[in-house]
Amino acid sequence: AGTMIIFQWDALYSGQPVFDEWVIPMFNFVASWPIVFLGIFDMDLPKEYVLNNPQVYSPGPNNEYISNRMIYRWVIITFVHMLTLYFFGFPSLTESGSTYASGKKSNDIGNDESGNLLTVGLTLYTALILLLVLKVLFESRSIVNGSWPVYFNKSNEHWASRIPYTWFGTIILSIGLYVLFLVIYSILASAGFSEDYLLFAGVPTHMAEKSTCWIIIFFTSIAACTFDVVGKVFSNMYFPTQTQIHMEIAQKHKQNRGRSSPTHPVTTQDE
């Protein structure tokens, strides 16, 4: 929504969306799967540490996760992602220097340009999906890699416990379904299934053939994540939460487990 609001400056407040109207509804569907698996499997602290240190539950009753500081932090991150995505991507795709194809030439109308609105919007939207996937990955503290082979295995472990849920959610259910949707949408548009789809005919193929579009997709998403990571590192170093403090202590205990006694309750600032 923020990217579409910024685009109104360039659209002269005409109400023209930067993204295709049939692509926009896919956002919640393809972006929600990595978050679902994050919510199910992510774990801040080892269960042994939590059992020995029940004070780790104090951030909940103390509203640490919905404090003004945390709210401002997420609002700032949202604006950083939004501004990076738009101002790193839109000018690069629409200015004259990026409208020429790098590679083969063709007589097809528009095939040697990447500056049309549908291609620009789809490129920015794809960068947004990739950005959200990367965001979930580096926010997760429990990436589930699973085991191979998943099903035909001689161990007593159930096959459902061997699935790489993190990568299944990000690659298959998020990126994979998004690509599948674009392919089906483009086919329906090319076949003239509906007048509402006609303008999208060949747009994903056109974007995929342009190196400029791929550069923008990866550069903008990685740049936005870089700003995010730098801010998180600064915040964790100078303004750590109680959970982050416990995570560092738990990591120290894990490193010293072989040569030290079992974990004992620890004292932190929240006691």
Side-chain angles (χ1 to χ4, degrees):
T3 306
M4 292 190 288
I5 293 174
I6 298 176
F7 173 70
Q8 291 310 304
W9 174 268
D10 293 304
L12 302 179
Y13 301 97
S14 63
Q16 169 69 44
V18 66
F19 306 130
D20 182 85
E21 61 181 1
W22 290 99
V23 175
I24 294 175
M26 284 296 295
F27 178 81
N28 287 332
F29 183 75
V30 300
S32 62
W33 288 109
I35 300 175
V36 168
F37 288 111
L38 172 69
I40 294 174
F41 295 104
D42 198 36
M43 183 172 56
D44 293 334
L45 297 164
K47 59 182 179 181
E48 297 84 2
Y49 184 88
V50 173
L51 291 174
N52 291 325
N53 301 277
Q55 67 269 26
V56 299
Y57 290 101
S58 62
N62 293 335
N63 291 328
E64 183 177 285
Y65 299 113
I66 56 174
S67 62
N68 290 335
R69 173 189 151 197
M70 296 299 294
I71 294 175
Y72 294 150
R73 173 178 172 178
W74 282 102
V75 169
I76 292 173
I77 290 176
T78 301
F79 274 94
V80 168
H81 286 177
M82 178 177 65
L83 296 174
T84 303
L85 182 69
Y86 188 82
F87 288 107
F88 278 34
F90 189 82
S92 301
L93 290 167
T94 55
E95 297 297 331
S96 59
S98 68
T99 58
Y100 298 100
S102 57
K104 65 178 182 178
K105 295 289 182 178
S106 173
N107 293 326
D108 295 339
I109 297 175
N111 196 48
D112 291 327
E113 299 181 355
S114 61
N116 64 82
L117 183 58
L118 284 174
T119 304
V120 171
L122 185 61
T123 302
L124 295 180
Y125 196 89
T126 304
L128 174 61
I129 297 299
L130 180 59
L131 168 61
L132 294 177
V133 169
L134 295 175
K135 174 68 173 175
V136 170
L137 286 177
F138 72 71
E139 286 287 347
S140 177
R141 301 180 182 91
S142 304
I143 295 180
V144 183
N145 292 314
S147 301
W148 185 261
V150 174
Y151 192 79
F152 298 102
N153 194 280
K154 297 181 180 180
S155 66
N156 294 326
E157 187 179 22
H158 194 274
W159 65 268
S161 301
R162 305 175 63 84
I163 297 176
Y165 287 101
T166 299
W167 306 112
F168 182 76
T170 55
I171 297 177
I172 304 299
L173 295 181
S174 185
I175 298 176
L177 288 182
Y178 173 65
V179 173
L180 179 62
F181 165 77
L182 294 182
V183 172
I184 296 175
Y185 185 14
S186 181
I187 291 175
L188 293 177
S190 301
F193 183 77
S194 172
E195 293 183 358
D196 296 333
Y197 303 162
L198 291 178
L199 293 176
F200 201 77
V203 173
T205 303
H206 180 59
M207 182 197 73
E209 292 176 348
K210 303 304 172 186
S211 60
T212 302
C213 296
W214 287 108
I215 292 173
I216 294 301
I217 289 172
F218 288 104
F219 177 74
T220 53
S221 57
I222 293 175
C225 286
T226 301
F227 292 138
D228 193 338
V229 171
V230 170
K232 287 175 65 67
V233 170
F234 177 83
S235 176
N236 294 349
M237 289 179 61
Y238 297 101
F239 306 98
T241 63
Q242 291 299 311
T243 300
Q244 291 163 350
I245 294 174
H246 281 290
M247 288 172 59
E248 292 191 14
I249 297 174
Q251 183 64 26
K252 290 292 185 181
H253 287 170
K254 182 178 179 181
Q255 294 175 354
N256 299 329
R257 184 176 299 171
R259 59 175 183 269
S260 63
S261 58
T263 303
H264 296 290
V266 295
T267 303
T268 59
Q269 299 175 3
D270 59 339
E271 290 187 295

